[in-house]
Amino acid sequence: MKEKGMKMESEKVSGILGLKDVTVSSKGQIVIPKELRKGTFPEGSQAAVIAYADHIEIRPLTYVLEKLECALISEPSFAEEWDTPEEDKAWEDLLDHALEYEQNKK
């Protein structure tokens, strides 16, 4: 992977346009370097901070809302199809089977 300063060639590393180190202030604040935020985070735009066990992502809020919209719209239709006594029984049987399998494996 070739580097130009701290910028990486995106054709070598898909999706990564740059890498910069930042310092977290005593208030937990960071500054996203200008060359990394331009285009993705224009001045005044809103961002979503997503915390994982091993890292944090900062994404445009519009991106996150678009991804969630599908899930939120789908939930009622899934509930109609899957929230039945038959489905509950199927899951219960599946969990019992998985437990039995794990116990027999030992």
Side-chain angles (χ1 to χ4, degrees):
M1 169 170 36
K2 291 183 182 178
E3 292 186 15
K4 294 179 180 176
M6 288 296 281
K7 210 166 196 177
M8 297 177 208
E9 291 181 0
S10 58
E11 64 269 9
K12 300 279 183 182
V13 180
S14 179
I16 296 178
L17 299 176
L19 172 67
K20 293 281 187 180
D21 60 272
V22 297
T23 302
V24 180
S25 76
S26 61
K27 293 182 178 182
Q29 299 168 326
I30 63 167
V31 173
I32 303 169
K34 184 178 184 176
E35 52 275 9
L36 296 181
R37 70 178 184 259
K38 87 179 145 183
T40 304
F41 295 102
E43 185 177 339
S45 63
Q46 292 185 305
V49 178
I50 306 159
Y52 295 88
D54 62 344
H55 69 282
I56 293 175
E57 287 182 11
I58 302 172
R59 298 244 182 193
L61 184 59
T62 53
Y63 172 86
V64 174
L65 293 176
E66 286 171 12
K67 298 295 180 188
L68 284 175
E69 183 179 30
C70 180
L72 294 173
I73 290 171
S74 299
E75 194 276 330
S77 59
F78 284 138
E80 271 182 38
E81 296 292 323
W82 291 358
D83 195 14
T84 65
E86 295 82 15
E87 285 295 325
D88 292 343
K89 178 71 175 137
W91 279 104
E92 185 180 302
D93 291 345
L94 179 65
L95 291 174
D96 289 343
H97 177 72
L99 258 171
E100 182 180 317
Y101 174 79
E102 284 300 314
Q103 290 172 346
N104 290 334
K105 224 167 71 168
K106 296 176 183 180

